[in-house]
């Protein structure tokens, strides 16, 4: 018998509820959230899969608490056949059979009508369902795998985020409707099945209802902790694996057959991340196993399904000896990101999709925090500034940006907030807060949050309460504008001298060339200022403070005299620890440029200084020629991060002039003159013991110079057979 036949009575039986049209009792076409008085506690799911027939059938028992009387039950379901719907009172064992079914497949809400009032209490809703295995990459979909013989076959994978669990089975498909899942899957016997929990049995079954017997295998999995529906997952196919244990918890990487060795780096990193997060969050990983699997077909880089994390093959599998340094780093960060979700997102989950940033912004922050501790040679926080913070600022300056916290009503809107603002601006403002309150207070607050809301749901305000105060202000007050407002501030800086006293005067307005209503917008900005009094004196960093007015004066401390005509300068937002850009007065700008040229700033401060100048030019608030002259003077620059922001700027300018052959050639010649000295210094071939970032910089410079027609690079590449 085909696995998909393991569902009981056919859907055209006498027990099929009558389909009806919409009535006036409740409009399910706008029921974006299910009624709160019906709450699930457990699903017992059994499903059989006919992969050649692209279909499946199953049955589910949903354990439900009714908190008030009703005659109707609302579930999320989409494009499913449903039949044999029965509601059983657990106390009296009385049964009610569904007499009417109303569907809205566009939104994914079904209404089940019963012949009499359902009293409050505990019930089991039992039903059978069937659906199609999809050819896309959402819900239950076809996923290719390789056999031992090297033949490509079709298996099955799932992707239920954000609201696709309803396309697999009728359920309460909301993040705040957590429940236990007990799952068994029936497939052809040559296939294996993975799910969120450990497999408790795999038994052969023979079904003789067809002309010839079909050998099947039923995989049963342990009951999960309470979790949200979007985290449910199962994978059907054939894979090889490597495994180890962390504190008794098996950790495995599954790869296409005979490629498991490519997962050794990710397995090693997963082990380190699990140990790190066990300690950092103050709660040990709660599931009995953790699997990471490389899929040939998946719509995202990875998905954090609890206990069964799915990845694109090229995101999980890597040979670190032969891969580029950027590829190794990418794999490390994405593995750390998904494993951090096992706590922040899975164990503690946002109440509703409006707080999606809580999941993704925090996981993005934690991937960098973890890799900084595990691979300090990556200098990953500096790369966070160049790759996440700067990218977020660029996006957030656009007219079509949106706040981090977006009100979501219709689930169809959810995909619109799965974007780089949620991930990158979310992570950037957490970085801001982390640097403001410090590691100790931040870690204590996160631990308190995890302890208070584990196996539950929380909101942004819940997190802020756990993180406390800074300088007498609640964290919620400090962070409000960063989450609810589009854009970010531009801080102006001027030096004032009166009666021998020096003062820095700061002002703030929204950084934007497109938003018209920028008046009276004030952020609570954490500000940290570096002052280098003169060429001979050491730099001093002033204590961080909150700038929460349109203007403020910052007295230069007694004993410090800023001499901007003798190598002195001011760097606002030193360390790039806050989320704003700076516009210096002409005299302060000139002094800062001298510090930049003479390498008197840290790499990340040189990065942010150049990025601010580039951003002002691109917003038509700066002088392009002046900036190009400045860049040509950076003959001593040796930072990969700085060259990245410069080459990105060169790319933008090249796109502007590409139609004019003469100007394009002149510009390419200029780019070569700026970049070539750095490559000459570090050499064309790797040196022993050179840094991770130097290796990345060489690859970037060779690529850029080759694109610009640098004869020396082209000849070297040809002679080296690159």
């Amino acid at each position: 018998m085909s696995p998909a036949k393991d569902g009981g009575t056919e859907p055209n039986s006498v027990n099929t509820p009558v389909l009806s049209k919409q009535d006036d009792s409740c409009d399910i076409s706008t029921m974006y959230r299910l009624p709160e008085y019906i709450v699930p506690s457990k699903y017992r799911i059994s499903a059989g899969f006919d992969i050649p027939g692209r279909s499946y059938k199953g049955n589910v028992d949903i354990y439900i608490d009714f908190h008030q009387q009703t005659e109707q039950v609302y579930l999320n379901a989409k494009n499913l056949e449903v039949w044999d719907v029965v509601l059983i009172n657990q106390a009296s064992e009385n049964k009610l059979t569904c007499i009417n079914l109303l569907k809205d497949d566009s939104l994914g809400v079904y209404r089940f009508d019963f012949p009499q009032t359902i009293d409050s209490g505990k019930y089991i809703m039992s039903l059978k369902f069937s659906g199609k295995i999809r050819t896309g990459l959402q819900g239950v979909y076809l996923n290719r795998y390789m056999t031992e013989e090297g033949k490509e076959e079709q298996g099955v994978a799932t992707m239920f985020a954000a609201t696709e669990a309803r396309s697999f089975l009728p359920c309460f498909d909301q993040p705040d409707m957590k429940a236990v899942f007990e799952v068994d899957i029936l497939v052809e016997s040559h296939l294996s099945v993975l799910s969120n929990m450990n497999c408790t049995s795999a038994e052969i079954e023979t079904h003789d209802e067809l002309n010839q017997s079909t050998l099947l295998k039923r995989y049963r999995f342990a009951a999960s902790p309470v979790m949200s529906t979007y985290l449910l997952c199962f994978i059907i196919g054939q894979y090889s694996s490597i495994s180890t244990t962390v504190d008794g918890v098996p950790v495995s990487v599954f790869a296409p057959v005979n490629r498991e060795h490519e997962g050794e780096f990710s397995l090693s990193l997963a082990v380190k991340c699990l140990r790190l997060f066990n300690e950092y969050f103050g709660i040990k990983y709660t599931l009995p196993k953790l699997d990471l699997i490389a899929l040939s077909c998946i719509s995202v880089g990875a998905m954090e399904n609890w206990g069964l994390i799915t990845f694109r093959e090229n995101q999980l599998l890597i040979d670190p000896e032969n891969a580029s340094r950027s590829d190794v780093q990418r794999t490390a960060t994405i593995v750390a990101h998904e494993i951090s979700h096992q706590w922040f997102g899975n164990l503690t989950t946002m109440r509703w999709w409006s707080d999606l940033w809580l999941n993704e912004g925090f996981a993005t922050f934690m991937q960098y925090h973890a890799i900084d501790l595990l691979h300090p040679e990556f200098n990953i926080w500096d790369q966070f500034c160049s790759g996440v913070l700067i990218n977020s600022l660029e996006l957030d300056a656009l007219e079509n940006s949106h706040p981090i916290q977006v009100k979501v009503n219709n689930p169809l809107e959810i995909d619109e907030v799965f974007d780089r603002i949620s991930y990158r601006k979310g992570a950037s403002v957490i970085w801001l807060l982390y640097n403001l309150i410090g590691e100790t207070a931040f870690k204590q607050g996160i631990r308190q949050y995890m302890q208070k809301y584990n196996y539950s749901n929380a909101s942004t305000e819940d997190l802020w309460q756990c993180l406390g105060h800074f300088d007498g202000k609640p964290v919620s007050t400090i962070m409000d504008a960063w989450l609810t407002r589009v854009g970010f501030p531009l801080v102006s800086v001027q030096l004032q001298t009166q009666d021998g006293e020096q003062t820095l005067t700061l002002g703030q307005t929204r950084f934007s060339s497109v938003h018209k209503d920028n008046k009276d917008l004030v952020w609570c900005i954490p500000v940290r200022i570096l002052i280098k009094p003169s060429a001979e004196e050491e730099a001093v960093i002033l204590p961080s403070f909150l700038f929460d007015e349109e203007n403020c004066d910052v007295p230069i401390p007694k004993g410090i005299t800023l001499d901007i005509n003798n190598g002195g300068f001011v760097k606002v937002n030193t360390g790039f620890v806050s989320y704003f850009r700076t516009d210096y007065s002409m005299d302060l700008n000139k002094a800062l440029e001298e510090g930049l040229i003479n390498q008197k700033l840290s790499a990340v401060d040189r990065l942010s200084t150049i990025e601010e100048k580039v951003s002002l030019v691109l917003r038509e608030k700066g002088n392009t020629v002046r900036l190009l002259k400045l860049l040509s003077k950076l003959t001593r620059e040796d930072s990969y991060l700085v060259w990245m922001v410069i080459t990105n700027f060169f790319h933008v300018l090249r796109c502007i002039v590409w139609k004019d052959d003469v100007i394009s050639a002149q510009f390419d010649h200029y780019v070569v003159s700026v970049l070539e000295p750095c490559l000459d210094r570090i050499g064309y071939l790797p040196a022993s013991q050179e840094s991770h970032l130097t290796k990345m910089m060489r690859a970037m410079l060779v690529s850029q110079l080759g694109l610009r027609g640098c004869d020396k690079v082209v000849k070297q590449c040809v002679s080296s057979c690159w």
Side-chain angles (χ1 to χ4, degrees):
M1 173 179 182
S2 169
K5 297 292 184 181
D6 187 60
T9 312
E10 292 291 332
N12 59 357
S13 73
V14 294
N15 294 321
T16 303
V18 176
L19 287 174
S20 68
K21 296 181 179 179
Q22 178 71 53
D23 57 35
D24 295 331
S25 61
C26 185
D27 184 2
I28 63 173
S29 67
T30 57
M31 184 176 281
Y32 303 136
R33 301 180 74 164
L34 299 177
E36 296 180 352
Y37 57 81
I38 306 176
V39 181
S41 61
K42 183 169 71 173
Y43 298 85
R44 297 183 66 180
I45 303 166
S46 179
F49 287 81
D50 176 12
I51 297 176
R54 308 292 192 261
S55 64
Y56 63 89
K57 287 183 182 176
N59 56 269
V60 59
D61 293 335
I62 311 175
Y63 290 70
I64 304 174
D65 291 337
F66 287 80
H67 295 292
Q68 68 180 53
Q69 289 185 335
T70 183
E71 293 181 355
Q72 299 161 331
V73 176
Y74 299 91
L75 295 178
N76 293 122
K78 191 173 184 179
N79 299 321
L80 298 175
E81 296 295 332
V82 181
W83 69 100
D84 285 359
V85 183
V86 178
L87 194 63
I88 306 167
N89 187 307
Q90 291 190 59
S92 67
E93 298 186 355
N94 289 335
K95 296 183 179 180
L96 293 175
T97 300
C98 176
I99 58 172
N100 186 63
L101 172 60
L102 182 64
K103 291 184 174 184
D104 187 309
D105 281 317
S106 61
L107 185 60
V109 179
Y110 288 9
R111 191 188 77 193
F112 299 85
D113 297 336
F114 291 88
Q116 65 188 63
T117 300
I118 304 166
D119 292 326
S120 59
K122 295 182 179 296
Y123 291 78
I124 300 173
M125 188 171 180
S126 179
L127 57 87
K128 295 180 173 63
F129 61 91
S130 66
K132 299 295 184 182
I133 302 174
R134 293 154 73 173
T135 55
L137 299 175
Q138 296 293 317
V140 179
Y141 66 90
L142 293 170
N143 175 68
R144 299 184 301 274
Y145 70 90
M146 300 298 294
T147 67
E148 289 276 1
E149 295 75 29
K151 183 181 178 182
E152 186 177 87
E153 296 285 359
Q154 294 287 2
V156 167
T158 62
M159 177 66 174
F160 292 150
T163 58
E164 287 294 337
R166 67 189 66 185
S167 68
F168 166 52
L169 84 166
C171 59
F172 296 81
D173 198 13
Q174 298 179 188
D176 58 344
M177 294 283 195
K178 290 191 171 187
V180 171
F181 287 83
E182 294 180 8
V183 178
D184 76 65
I185 303 291
L186 186 67
V187 295
E188 293 182 15
S189 60
H190 68 282
L191 296 171
S192 297
V193 183
L194 298 171
S195 189
N196 304 83
M197 298 297 291
N198 55 302
C199 181
T200 57
S201 67
E203 299 174 347
I204 296 293
E205 298 183 6
T206 304
H207 295 253
D208 298 316
E209 296 180 14
L210 300 178
N211 292 332
Q212 61 182 29
S213 297
T214 302
L215 204 60
L216 306 175
K217 184 180 286 189
R218 186 179 300 278
Y219 290 83
R220 289 185 172 87
F221 298 90
S224 74
V226 292
M227 69 180 191
S228 302
T229 48
Y230 78 90
L231 296 171
L232 180 65
C233 182
F234 50 85
I235 306 295
I236 302 171
Q238 294 179 357
Y239 297 90
S240 298
S241 66
I242 52 175
S243 302
T244 186
T245 59
V246 177
D247 298 332
V249 175
V251 181
S252 305
V253 169
F254 287 81
V257 172
N258 298 324
R259 289 180 57 192
E260 64 273 19
H261 61 281
E262 296 176 41
E264 290 177 358
F265 174 78
S266 292
L267 180 63
S268 173
L269 188 75
V271 167
K272 295 173 184 176
C273 286
L274 210 58
R275 288 178 176 144
L276 187 153
F277 292 137
N278 279 342
E279 187 280 330
Y280 196 90
F281 293 122
I283 297 176
K284 287 196 171 184
Y285 178 74
T286 55
L287 268 62
K289 58 91 176 177
L290 176 62
D291 295 337
L292 294 77
I293 184 167
L295 300 180
S296 62
C297 304
I298 182 171
S299 61
V300 293
M303 175 60 202
E304 67 267 19
N305 312 295
W306 209 357
L308 179 55
I309 306 173
T310 52
F311 295 80
R312 286 181 186 163
E313 288 181 5
N314 65 353
Q315 302 283 4
L316 183 67
L317 306 179
I318 193 169
D319 177 2
E321 295 300 319
N322 296 309
S324 70
R325 302 313 298 167
S326 59
D327 285 345
V328 171
Q329 182 177 293
R330 183 194 65 220
T331 295
T333 53
I334 197 169
V335 168
H337 180 106
E338 303 306 329
I339 293 180
S340 75
H341 267 310
Q342 305 303 296
W343 286 263
F344 217 101
N346 298 4
L347 182 62
T348 302
T349 312
M350 74 245 154
R351 284 205 181 95
W352 185 244
W353 299 105
S354 301
D355 281 320
L356 172 69
W357 86 275
L358 269 182
N359 277 21
E360 299 304 342
F362 193 86
T364 302
F365 172 85
M366 285 307 301
Q367 78 185 50
Y368 283 88
H369 196 42
I371 297 305
D372 179 58
L373 296 172
L374 298 176
H375 288 279
E377 73 277 10
F378 286 3
N379 291 316
I380 202 71
W381 278 125
D382 287 355
Q383 293 192 68
F384 173 89
C385 293
S386 65
V388 175
L389 182 49
I390 286 177
N391 183 265
S392 176
L393 291 168
E394 291 170 348
L395 291 171
D396 209 15
L398 301 177
E399 189 173 12
N400 61 352
S401 181
H402 63 79
I404 293 175
Q405 205 168 18
V406 179
K407 187 175 182 180
V408 175
N409 293 314
N410 189 336
L412 299 176
E413 301 168 352
I414 295 170
D415 286 344
E416 297 177 13
V417 295
F418 269 99
D419 64 7
R420 287 183 289 179
I421 292 293
S422 294
Y423 283 75
R424 298 188 181 186
K425 185 175 180 180
S428 297
V429 299
I430 293 172
W431 167 245
L432 172 154
L433 180 61
Y434 170 82
N435 283 283
L436 181 66
I437 68 176
E439 163 74 11
T440 300
F442 184 83
K443 185 174 180 179
Q444 289 174 348
I446 294 302
R447 283 187 166 192
Q448 180 183 342
Y449 176 81
M450 298 302 302
Q451 290 286 351
K452 189 173 183 179
Y453 297 104
N454 65 82
Y455 301 110
S456 185
N457 299 84
S459 66
T460 297
E461 185 59 35
D462 295 326
L463 176 60
W464 295 159
Q465 288 181 1
C466 291
L467 288 169
H469 297 71
F470 175 81
D471 197 24
K473 283 184 179 290
V475 164
S476 58
T477 301
I478 298 170
M479 301 302 293
D480 179 66
W482 300 108
L483 266 63
T484 61
R485 190 175 293 163
V486 175
F488 56 90
L490 175 67
V491 174
S492 61
V493 188
Q494 294 182 328
L495 176 64
Q496 307 286 348
T497 303
Q498 186 173 2
D499 299 329
E501 300 289 332
Q502 291 180 308
T503 301
L504 296 174
T505 298
L506 308 184
Q508 63 165 295
T509 186
R510 177 156 61 181
F511 179 93
S512 175
S513 60
V514 292
H515 296 98
K516 305 304 180 185
D517 184 17
N518 294 328
K519 292 184 179 180
D520 302 322
L521 293 180
V522 174
W523 284 260
C524 195
I525 309 172
V527 177
R528 190 163 70 179
I529 300 175
L530 177 146
I531 298 177
K532 183 168 176 57
S534 66
E536 296 77 22
E537 297 175 84
E538 293 296 322
V540 176
I541 298 177
L542 305 186
S544 297
F545 66 94
L546 294 173
F547 174 26
D548 56 0
E549 301 174 301
E550 286 190 31
N551 299 282
C552 78
D553 290 333
V554 182
I556 293 181
K558 294 186 182 300
I560 298 177
T561 300
L562 177 59
D563 186 355
I564 60 175
N565 296 314
N566 184 32
F569 59 83
V570 172
K571 172 59 183 170
V572 176
N573 196 18
T574 184
F576 215 170
V577 295
S578 199
Y579 192 76
F580 64 89
R581 284 179 173 144
T582 312
D583 187 16
Y584 297 91
S585 62
M586 189 175 297
D587 54 346
L588 290 178
N589 181 61
K590 183 179 179 181
L592 184 59
E593 288 181 356
E594 290 300 318
L596 176 70
I597 294 168
N598 295 318
Q599 297 273 292
K600 300 301 182 182
L601 294 160
S602 67
V604 73
D605 279 349
R606 301 197 304 274
L607 165 74
S608 64
T609 299
I610 293 174
E611 192 279 331
E612 286 171 343
K613 293 181 180 300
V614 168
S615 67
L616 290 170
V617 165
L618 295 180
R619 296 296 177 272
E620 300 180 357
K621 295 179 182 291
N623 186 303
T624 306
V625 174
R626 178 181 173 86
L627 178 54
L628 291 176
K629 287 181 178 179
L630 172 65
L631 298 180
S632 67
K633 297 177 183 178
L634 302 182
T635 55
R636 297 163 59 188
E637 184 55 64
D638 60 358
S639 168
Y640 165 72
L641 307 175
V642 173
W643 286 118
M644 276 295 294
V645 74
I646 292 173
T647 55
N648 288 340
F649 176 54
F650 287 164
H651 173 73
V652 173
L653 294 184
R654 187 61 167 78
C655 290
I656 294 172
V657 303
W658 72 274
K659 286 188 176 181
D660 189 309
D661 292 341
V662 174
I663 297 177
S664 295
Q666 291 173 341
F667 181 73
D668 287 344
H669 179 75
Y670 162 81
V671 171
V672 169
S673 71
V674 173
L675 300 182
E676 195 174 31
C678 182
L679 183 57
D680 288 339
R681 280 198 309 275
I682 66 173
Y684 287 79
L685 298 175
S688 61
Q689 306 301 314
E690 72 180 7
S691 72
H692 172 76
L693 292 185
T694 299
K695 291 182 172 121
M696 293 177 69
M697 181 166 63
R698 177 181 295 104
M700 182 266 295
L701 290 173
V702 167
S703 172
Q704 291 294 319
L705 287 166
L707 286 172
R708 306 299 173 204
C710 176
D711 290 338
K712 191 184 297 185
V713 166
V714 172
K715 290 177 182 178
Q716 182 66 39
C717 290
V718 171
S719 65
S720 301
C721 298
W722 287 2

